């Protein structure tokens, strides 16, 4: 198959990270349903404690909806500086084992421990040790997935959450992927799932009924990825220097949008998700971009760059609103996207430094 040695990849994902940090730092929040981000009136939930999840509260849910689902829900203001601080502490634990650490956000990362600094032969032992150290040195729980590639390691870390450890050994890969629901595949959202279901694809094994060409025909570029994943193949390397140029969110609608009013309404949660992701990755940007894909698959993008940085969500909402104002819709809309680019991460620190000087 591949002549290279079998890789040992770990995916570590903190459990309800922001919420757990708040509960750790504030005794009165322990054991209670809390939501980080938003308020009873407006905004989005960035993270929910496990107590809140029991009521159906989830991240990216409007806080209004969250408050309906769980009336005792306590809303807590996010403290990204603190999350970043703990994230660095966790990264430093990872770096004791390998320099091949690729963070995906403040609370999750891939580690390639095939050749690790401590010469530990089993990746599972490393995962156990890392979990233990995060617990004792940081005070939080993490879930870890261990397998031969990124895709499987990430699926595995989600399998036994919270405080979980799940290992997919090389000889188990094929059976595991065959029984895996396609909604667990990274990159399969609601629209893709529905399309797959219509084609009779519900589990990994169903993907194998299709050739690579067929899957490419139905799902474009992602088709090839789905084909490979069905056979447990994912050659993406753990890249410690991955530089992201933009961050964003988008959504394809099951029914095309016809008016600007609809566009505004449906764009709102996308902009919120975009902002949440940027915050999560600790990114500040100067450019906001809106993408509109029409029913005939032609697309337009409109962006606006401001001289300083987009520092608050309200600022972003304003910019987006102005962009939309200036767009003349040509056809019905099937997809909307919002992204941030032109990162200016050091800006706030630079500003503070100037203040001190
Ligand atoms: Mg997490």
């Amino acid at each position: 198959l591949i002549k290279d040695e079998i890789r040992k990849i770990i995916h570590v994902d903190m459990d309800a990270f922001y919420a757990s940090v708040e509960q750790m730092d504030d005794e009165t929040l322990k054991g209670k349903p809390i939501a980080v981000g938003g308020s009873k009136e407006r905004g989005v939930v960035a993270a929910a404690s496990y107590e809140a999840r029991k009521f159906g509260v989830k991240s990216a849910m409007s806080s209004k909806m969250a408050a309906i689902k769980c009336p005792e829900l306590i809303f807590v203001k996010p403290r990204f500086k603190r999350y970043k601080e703990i994230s660095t502490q966790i990264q430093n634990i990872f770096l004791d084992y390998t320099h091949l650490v690729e963070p995906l956000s403040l609370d999750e990362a891939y580690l390639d421990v095939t050749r690790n600094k401590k010469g530990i032969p089993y990746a599972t032992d490393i995962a156990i040790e890392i979990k233990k150290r995060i617990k004792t040195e940081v005070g939080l729980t993490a879930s870890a997935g261990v397998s031969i590639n990124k895709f499987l390691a990430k699926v595995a870390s989600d399998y036994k959450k919270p405080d979980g450890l799940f290992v997919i050994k090389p000889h188990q890969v094929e059976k595991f992927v065959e029984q895996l629901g396609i909604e667990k595949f990274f990159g399969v959202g609601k629209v893709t799932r529905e399309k797959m279901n219509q084609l009779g694809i519900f589990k990994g094994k169903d993907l194998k009924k299709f050739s690579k060409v067929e899957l490419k025909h139905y799902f474009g570029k992602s088709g090839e990825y789905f084909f490979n994943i069905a056979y447990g193949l994912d050659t993406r390397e753990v890249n410690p220097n991955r530089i992201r140029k933009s961050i964003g969110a988008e959504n394809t609608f099951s029914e095309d949008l016809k008016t600007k009013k609809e566009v505004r309404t449906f764009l709102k949660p996308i902009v919120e998700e975009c902002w949440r992701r940027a915050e999560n990755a600790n990114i500040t940007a100067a450019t906001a971009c809106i993408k509109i894909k029409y029913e005939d698959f032609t697309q337009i993008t409109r962006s606006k760059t401001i001289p300083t940085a987009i520092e608050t969500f309200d600022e972003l909402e304003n910019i987006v609103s102005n962009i939309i104002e200036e767009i003349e819709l040509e056809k019905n809309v099937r997809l909307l996207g919002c992204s941030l680019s032109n990162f200016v991460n050091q800006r706030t620190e630079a500003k503070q430094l100037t203040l001190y000087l």
Side-chain angles (χ1 to χ4, degrees):
L1 206 61
I2 308 167
K3 70 170 173 32
D4 296 338
E5 67 189 326
I6 291 171
R7 292 184 297 158
K8 296 169 185 171
I9 311 293
I10 303 176
H11 179 254
V12 181
D13 188 11
M14 301 301 294
D15 301 323
F17 184 51
Y18 301 166
S20 304
V21 172
E22 295 305 332
Q23 288 180 319
M24 173 173 76
D25 288 354
D26 181 350
E27 283 284 331
T28 67
L29 298 175
K30 268 191 188 133
K32 302 226 174 91
I34 74 161
V36 177
S39 66
K40 273 208 159 67
E41 291 77 35
R42 54 166 295 163
V44 209
V45 174
S49 70
Y50 281 92
E51 294 84 359
R53 291 180 192 198
K54 280 187 198 139
F55 292 86
V57 177
K58 288 182 204 157
S59 58
M61 177 180 272
S62 83
S63 26
K64 234 183 190 165
M65 174 58 78
I68 293 169
K69 287 195 180 269
C70 177
E72 310 115 272
L73 190 63
I74 303 166
F75 288 94
V76 182
K77 266 215 178 97
R79 295 177 300 149
F80 287 101
K81 251 208 187 112
R82 176 72 175 134
Y83 309 148
K84 174 86 207 213
E85 181 183 281
I86 292 181
S87 184
T88 308
Q89 209 182 339
I90 295 162
Q91 301 287 332
N92 286 335
I93 294 177
F94 297 158
L95 290 170
D96 278 348
Y97 299 86
T98 173
H99 64 279
L100 292 175
V101 176
E102 179 181 330
L104 293 176
S105 63
L106 288 181
D107 81 319
E108 53 178 308
Y110 290 114
L111 286 69
D112 185 330
V113 296
T114 316
R115 263 180 289 276
N116 59 82
K117 293 182 187 172
K118 301 204 172 199
I120 300 172
Y122 295 108
T124 306
D125 290 337
I126 298 178
I128 292 169
E129 215 177 285
I130 286 176
K131 269 169 59 70
K132 233 184 243 161
R133 286 187 59 187
I134 293 176
K135 184 85 217 241
T136 53
E137 292 170 30
V138 184
L140 296 170
T141 65
S143 294
V146 181
S147 197
I148 56 169
N149 61 41
K150 283 176 157 184
F151 167 77
L152 291 164
K154 188 159 163 74
V155 172
S157 74
D158 199 44
Y159 220 64
K160 289 273 159 79
K161 246 180 179 312
D163 201 10
L165 173 67
F166 192 70
V167 185
I168 307 167
K169 293 181 180 158
H171 71 275
Q172 299 167 328
V173 167
E174 195 168 350
K175 280 254 147 56
F176 182 84
V177 177
E178 282 186 353
Q179 60 77 45
L180 192 66
I182 46 109
E183 69 281 355
K184 301 270 183 200
F185 282 45
F186 184 71
V188 175
K190 196 171 154 261
V191 174
T192 309
R193 193 182 69 215
E194 278 166 11
K195 198 168 167 187
M196 283 193 174
N197 289 349
Q198 276 166 14
L199 290 165
I201 304 168
F202 296 90
K203 289 183 170 182
K205 67 170 192 284
D206 301 323
L207 280 167
K208 290 183 170 174
K209 296 174 195 154
F210 296 84
S211 69
K212 195 183 274 188
V213 175
E214 284 170 323
L215 288 177
K216 265 184 165 170
H217 166 76
Y218 290 121
F219 303 103
K221 250 194 224 156
S222 312
E224 186 167 353
Y225 164 76
F226 294 141
F227 179 84
N228 288 331
I229 287 304
Y231 293 88
L233 294 173
D234 176 9
T235 54
R236 290 174 300 155
E237 281 180 30
V238 172
N239 182 0
N241 306 312
R242 195 171 62 140
I243 296 169
R244 226 209 284 244
K245 293 222 168 74
S246 80
I247 194 161
E250 59 178 49
N251 197 8
T252 308
F253 307 104
S254 33
E255 257 177 70
D256 292 343
L257 313 179
K258 296 181 182 67
T259 64
K260 217 179 216 185
K261 194 173 168 223
E262 280 182 321
V263 166
R264 282 186 192 281
T265 308
F266 285 90
L267 188 57
K268 203 168 180 284
I270 297 169
V271 175
E272 285 169 348
E273 176 64 17
C274 172
W275 182 255
R276 197 176 69 85
R277 287 182 184 172
E279 273 186 332
N280 220 339
N282 200 30
I283 279 167
T284 313
T287 302
C289 181
I290 294 298
K291 175 164 94 178
I292 296 180
K293 200 186 259 181
Y294 291 118
E295 54 190 340
D296 62 355
F297 285 83
T298 56
Q299 72 173 47
I300 59 162
T301 56
R302 294 287 181 273
S303 63
K304 187 166 166 47
T305 302
I306 64 166
T308 50
I310 305 167
E311 300 211 21
T312 64
F313 175 69
D314 287 345
E315 234 177 299
L316 174 62
E317 249 189 337
N318 242 326
I319 294 166
V320 168
S321 170
N322 289 335
I323 293 176
I324 294 298
E325 193 61 53
E326 285 165 19
I327 292 176
E328 207 67 65
L329 289 182
E330 294 158 32
K331 296 151 208 154
N332 293 336
V333 174
R334 75 182 308 266
L335 173 148
L336 288 172
C338 173
S339 63
L340 292 164
S341 55
N342 217 339
F343 298 153
V344 278
N345 245 9
Q346 273 74 47
R347 186 163 300 272
T348 333
E349 279 148 51
K351 239 191 229 161
Q352 278 169 358
L353 201 65
T354 330
L355 274 178
Y356 290 127
L357 289 172

